Amino acid sequence: MAMPLRQTIRVSTYLMQQKLKRKEKFPLIVELEPLYACNLACEGCGKIQHPAGVLKQRMPVAQAVGAVLECGAPMVSIAGGEPLMHPQIDEIVRQLVERRKYVFLCTNALLLRKKLDKFTPSPYFTFAVHIDGLRERHDASVAKEGTFDEAVAAIKEAKRRGFRVTTNSTFFNTDTAQTVVEVLDYLNDELKVDEMMISPAYAYEKAPDQDHFLGVEQTRELFRKAFAGGNRRRWRLNHSPLFLDFLEGKVDFECTAWGIPNYSLFGWQRPCYLMADGYVPTYRELIEKTDWSKYGRGRDPRCDNCMAHCGYEPTAVLATMGSLKESLRAARETVASGKIN
């Protein structure tokens, strides 16, 4: 991935270790969901559709940290729900950072300014703020006015205090190349976030809005147009070059769902963050007892329009590591973007 050089070296070393051990399946990032509760009702998310009893649950610190250590992933994405609603989220982060895990805390930022004092800046820790468009578009997508302005204020304050801040933007079939360019230009040039992640909306089965998800060809056309004119090279995108090629339709990949496993209140989720075909209590059971050959475009109809990073970024990363040409290309982009911390 296009990440800071220190992190790139750490992850590359990890990948080489897995290759030397001849492991066929291993995690790059673990998606950790220590709660499902949220203070927003976003149109493309179905997490808050869980029963009230489930929404009240909070994962114990030891359980959260134990799951990360169990799978051995070098990076952790803490999602939910809204992680900042977890009363011990700072302790979960502290213990993971202490173990030199690269932690990305995904947040809508409504509570971020109130919670900043609980965290300490670290090269191992990043706030990943959801921004799904400029003010009007973002507020509509999360169904609450003022959310964009609060997120922007929180990002500025976090950066002022020395935290690393990235963003994650989901795009729907109501987006155009122009709306993509507008928000990424703003985040890159005006707000100056450290990096940006982009994702085509996937038809998450419990999402309230089922009418505005992108198909494969729509996704390719959208990003092909948005990336034109040198935008792709100019933006600080937190993706491997091959994954961006994939979004444009320049290459195609099979899904590597096991590369970013999900651990939640229910256990290890099969097969990925976006689809729930049951849960198992251990990571080993997830890997060894899941029929991974059933999933992916052309295998499962639910996967036909998916181009999400949780399935295809791992494939792109592994393809990069398996090619000297692509490894050098990724290294050049890392150096050119100034990601040397």
Side-chain angles (χ1 to χ4, degrees), residues 111-296:
L111 296 172
L112 184 52
R113 286 197 287 178
K114 296 178 181 178
K115 302 285 187 176
L116 274 177
D117 288 341
K118 292 179 172 288
F119 300 92
T120 303
S122 166
Y124 292 98
F125 178 59
T126 301
F127 286 113
V129 180
H130 269 276
I131 299 288
D132 287 342
L134 296 181
R135 181 180 290 105
E136 182 178 349
R137 197 170 195 84
H138 177 79
D139 287 358
S141 73
V142 301
K144 185 173 183 178
E145 291 186 7
T147 303
F148 178 83
D149 289 339
E150 178 57 35
V152 167
I155 289 171
K156 290 179 178 178
E157 179 61 16
K159 287 188 65 63
R160 187 188 71 80
R161 296 199 194 186
F163 289 96
R164 189 167 181 268
V165 182
T166 65
T167 54
N168 187 5
S169 301
T170 303
F171 298 106
F172 296 81
N173 64 11
T174 50
D175 278 292
T176 66
Q178 184 59 35
T179 63
V180 174
V181 169
E182 286 173 354
V183 67
L184 294 183
D185 272 352
Y186 175 77
L187 297 172
N188 191 84
D189 301 336
E190 295 187 43
L191 204 51
K192 298 185 186 302
V193 298
D194 291 280
E195 291 173 310
M196 303 171 293
M197 182 176 287
I198 56 179
S199 182
Y202 168 76
Y204 185 71
E205 63 181 357
K206 291 186 177 181
D209 181 359
Q210 290 290 319
D211 298 325
H212 296 112
F213 293 107
L214 287 160
V216 170
E217 291 307 319
Q218 287 176 300
T219 295
R220 290 170 175 167
E221 181 179 8
L222 178 66
F223 288 110
R224 192 180 301 122
K225 291 179 178 179
F227 289 162
N231 285 331
R232 174 176 157 174
R233 292 188 298 275
R234 184 171 57 80
W235 290 329
R236 293 182 297 279
L237 296 173
N238 186 22
H239 294 288
S240 63
L242 277 178
F243 179 73
L244 298 177
D245 287 349
F246 169 73
L247 289 182
E248 287 193 71
K250 292 180 178 179
V251 297
D252 201 9
F253 291 125
E254 291 189 0
C255 175
T256 306
W258 48 261
I260 305 183
N262 174 267
Y263 185 78
S264 71
L265 294 168
F266 300 138
W268 294 99
Q269 180 173 314
R270 287 176 169 154
C272 66
Y273 171 72
L274 295 168
M275 290 167 56
D277 283 357
Y279 300 84
V280 293
T282 68
Y283 174 73
R284 181 173 181 176
E285 187 174 350
L286 173 74
I287 294 300
E288 296 181 356
K289 302 297 183 180
T290 302
D291 185 358
W292 301 101
S293 66
K294 295 194 310 183
Y295 300 103

